[in-house]
């Protein structure tokens, strides 16, 4: 298209804080639905441009190929598990989903002393990839990525254990009249983009 994108990544909560303080971002691809809605309500984003571009899938992952079998709950309660990584539930939607999963499995109180928190889902992935945590709840997209060098073992968390992670995009006020920003949001709705999103482990509507 002739357009160039400059991408800044971070936890949804921190990106929100930067946006409301005047960061010149033109689009937000959020890992939740409530943050774009909040920005729209606060008139920091263009009304009517919000839509769901992906539905996140949560997986329990280990760098050890033999650690996780068909029963993810059983893998969590093995005696030699010292650390379980999750993203900070107060900042990252995947962290909130991980906490909800553990509560629905009846394991939150039991495993809380073993939980270590990453600031975002990328940091959580790194904790497991480096072996600092034997297990972690990460985005399925992270382990399906071609850049993932550690395959290990994983268990896809059943959807009935956590609320859907609806990931919404929205046009922010600095992008209101930006041709490239508007074009990219339109592209995300195409079959071509949806195929890429699906390939990386996300659901699409």
């Amino acid at each position: 298209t002739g357009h160039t994108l400059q991408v800044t990544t971070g936890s949804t909560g921190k990106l929100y804080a930067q946006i409301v303080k005047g960061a010149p971002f033109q689009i937000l691809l959020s890992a939740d639905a409530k943050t774009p809605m909040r920005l729209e309500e606060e008139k920091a984003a263009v009304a009517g441009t919000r839509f769901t571009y992906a539905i996140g899938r949560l997986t329990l992952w280990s760098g050890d190929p033999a650690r996780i079998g068909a029963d993810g709950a059983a893998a969590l309660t093995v005696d030699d598990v010292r650390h379980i990584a999750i993203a900070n539930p107060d900042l990252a939607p995947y962290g909130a989903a991980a906490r909800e999963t553990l509560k629905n499995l009846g394991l939150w109180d039991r495993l809380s002393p073993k939980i270590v928190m990453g600031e975002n889902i990328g940091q959580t992935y790194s904790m497991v990839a480096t072996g600092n945590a034997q297990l972690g709840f990460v985005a399925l997209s992270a382990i399906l990525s071609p850049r993932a060098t550690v395959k290990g073992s994983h268990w896809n968390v059943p959807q009935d254990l956590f609320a859907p992670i609806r990931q919404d995009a929205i046009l922010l006020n600095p992008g209101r009249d930006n041709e490239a920003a508007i074009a990219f949001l339109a592209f995300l709705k195409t079959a071509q983009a949806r195929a890429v999103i699906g390939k990386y482990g996300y659901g699409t509507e």
Side-chain angles (χ1 to χ4, degrees):
T1 64
H3 298 304
T4 300
L5 300 180
Q6 182 175 347
V7 180
T8 297
T9 61
S11 70
T12 295
K14 287 210 164 186
L15 291 174
Y16 167 82
Q18 292 171 13
I19 290 166
V20 297
K21 289 179 181 177
F25 301 135
Q26 297 167 329
I27 291 172
L28 174 65
L29 300 185
S30 180
D32 68 1
K34 68 180 182 180
T35 300
M37 182 183 297
R38 183 178 180 185
L39 288 167
E40 187 174 359
E41 291 170 348
E42 294 172 349
K43 302 191 185 306
V46 180
T49 62
R50 175 170 48 89
F51 66 97
T52 299
Y53 68 93
I55 300 172
R57 291 175 176 156
L58 184 70
T59 193
L60 178 67
W61 178 58
S62 173
D64 180 351
R67 182 168 286 277
I68 303 175
D71 187 345
L76 287 163
T77 56
V78 174
D79 289 341
D80 71 345
V81 173
R82 299 184 308 278
H83 299 299
I84 300 167
I86 72 170
N88 187 331
D90 297 325
L91 293 175
Y94 283 91
R99 179 173 60 187
E100 186 181 358
T101 294
L102 288 171
K103 286 184 175 181
N104 284 329
L105 288 171
L107 296 174
W108 176 255
D109 291 339
R110 176 179 172 184
L111 297 178
S112 286
K114 298 183 177 184
I115 290 175
V116 291
M117 292 187 185
E119 183 177 289
N120 53 51
I121 198 65
Q123 192 177 88
T124 305
Y125 174 88
S126 295
M127 287 179 178
V128 183
T130 57
N132 289 318
Q134 288 98 336
L135 297 164
F137 285 95
V138 303
L140 177 60
S141 58
I143 64 173
L144 293 182
S145 170
R147 292 176 294 181
T149 56
V150 181
K151 295 303 180 184
S153 54
H154 71 281
W155 172 67
N156 293 335
V157 179
Q159 183 59 68
D160 60 359
L161 290 176
F162 63 97
I165 305 172
R166 302 182 70 85
Q167 302 189 189
D168 281 9
I170 196 164
L171 183 67
L172 302 171
N173 285 345
R176 181 183 297 273
D177 298 315
N178 184 277
E179 180 183 346
I182 293 168
F184 183 67
L185 284 178
F187 170 71
L188 284 179
K189 298 178 181 179
T190 66
Q192 181 183 356
R194 286 160 66 91
V196 174
I197 291 167
K199 178 182 176 182
Y200 279 80
Y202 294 97
T204 57
E205 291 187 319

